Amino acid sequence: MSKDLSNYRKSYIKGELNESDLPKNPITLFSDFFNIIENNKSEREPNAMSVSTVDINGFPSTRVVLLKKYSELGFVFYTNYKSKKGQDILQNPNVCLSFYWSSTEQQVIIKGLAFKVSESESNTYFNSRPEGSKLGAIVSNQSQVIPSREFLYKKAENLKKSNKALIKPESWGGFIVKPVLIEFWQGKDNRLHDRIVYKKENDKNWKLYRLSP
Ligand SMILES: Cc1cc2nc3c(=O)[nH]c(=O)nc-3n(C[C@H](O)[C@H](O)[C@H](O)COP(=O)(O)O)c2cc1C
């Protein structure tokens, strides 16, 4: 089976990044991008992002997670610390996040260091989740091999029937990614895209430069 996709080709025409309009702080620009997408409701999950981690052998893995918070301090997502990504991060905190929003023809790539958020922050978020999500997080030893789907469903059903309090597992919580470099990509015609990078110089300042597409 083979399929030729060489004719798949789109023009990108929806915007541009001009140095004269750009804020000094990349979180402000991220927020501008995000708010536009959120308001025009063009993406089903605008907060879906890929997270790349690297294992002890230098082998990378990428998967999608949901961004749950962003601020000057960083980008927060929740997961199981014993999962593949959790284990990778605990051995090597260097990660890369990436968003692609096709409706605005934008990509954002964030390189940074991931740290566990506080237990209390993880608890607050866990307790805000619907019952089904809590059950799922408790019964799933994420990234472990299991014998069948039934095995998992049974675990969830038994826990539900037991009427036990749904308490956050110790191994479940948030990571905050503190950025050291953020690239904003805006698709342009004829593949002459805009790429603007903010590189962290110190606690207050970011160096801004443009890359060739
Ligand atoms: C749209 C979408 C959102 C997801 N959100 C999360 C999330 O917030 N946290 C999480 O641990 N996994 C999430 N997942 C599942 C992950 O992609 C992945 O399968 C899981 O975390 C196990 O990854 P790992 O074995 O590499 O650690 C999501 C998947 C998709 C497609």
Side-chain angles (χ1 to χ4, degrees):
M1 170 74 81
S2 114
K3 189 170 171 110
D4 182 3
L5 305 174
S6 55
N7 278 335
Y8 269 45
R9 195 166 289 117
K10 288 258 182 284
S11 285
Y12 301 110
I13 48 165
K14 299 218 168 134
E16 56 187 23
L17 298 173
N18 297 311
E19 280 83 342
S20 54
D21 304 331
L22 296 175
K24 288 204 167 81
N25 189 310
I27 308 300
T28 310
L29 187 55
F30 182 85
S31 189
D32 292 346
F33 274 34
F34 196 86
N35 289 340
I36 287 172
I37 290 148
E38 195 178 36
N39 291 336
N40 70 20
K41 302 201 186 324
S42 52
E43 302 281 341
R44 201 168 97 88
E45 291 191 290
N47 60 331
M49 60 181 187
S50 55
V51 183
S52 300
T53 57
V54 180
D55 70 16
I56 41 169
N57 299 314
F59 219 106
S61 305
T62 300
R63 75 292 283 159
V64 173
V65 300
L66 296 177
L67 177 69
K68 288 292 166 177
K69 185 177 170 182
Y70 68 86
S71 72
E72 292 290 329
L73 298 177
F75 298 80
V76 176
F77 66 93
Y78 287 87
T79 193
N80 189 312
Y81 294 137
K82 290 186 176 161
S83 66
K84 170 81 172 82
K85 79 183 86 46
Q87 292 302 299
D88 282 359
I89 290 171
L90 297 176
Q91 281 158 341
N92 177 352
N94 295 338
V95 300
C96 188
L97 311 176
S98 137
F99 296 83
Y100 169 52
W101 298 302
S102 65
S103 58
T104 51
E105 300 169 349
Q106 289 169 327
Q107 172 179 224
V108 178
I109 300 170
I110 300 163
K111 279 191 189 180
L113 277 82
F115 302 90
K116 282 184 178 179
V117 305
S118 70
E119 250 325 86
S120 77
E121 190 172 342
S122 290
N123 271 317
T124 304
Y125 174 64
F126 185 85
N127 292 332
S128 76
R129 303 176 90 207
E131 186 193 58
S133 306
K134 289 181 188 164
L135 277 168
I138 294 170
V139 299
S140 168
N141 294 326
Q142 196 177 51
S143 316
Q144 299 299 309
V145 175
I146 50 171
S148 64
R149 184 193 296 138
E150 282 65 40
F151 167 85
L152 194 61
Y153 279 33
K154 202 96 229 122
K155 257 177 110 176
E157 205 181 296
N158 289 343
L159 177 59
K160 194 170 177 186
K161 276 192 199 142
S162 74
N163 282 327
K164 279 192 192 144
L166 301 180
I167 296 165
K168 180 188 85 57
E170 223 175 275
S171 60
W172 192 95
F175 280 115
I176 181 164
V177 176
K178 296 180 181 265
V180 294
L181 183 148
I182 308 187
E183 175 184 335
F184 295 86
W185 183 98
Q186 178 73 57
K188 297 275 292 161
D189 216 3
N190 298 320
R191 300 302 184 251
L192 298 175
H193 314 300
D194 285 334
R195 294 179 67 191
I196 299 289
V197 175
Y198 288 78
K199 191 163 190 248
K200 193 162 193 170
E201 291 204 302
N202 52 48
D203 277 350
K204 284 197 185 123
N205 298 315
W206 294 83
K207 186 175 157 193
L208 188 154
Y209 50 91
R210 178 179 287 269
L211 294 180
S212 175

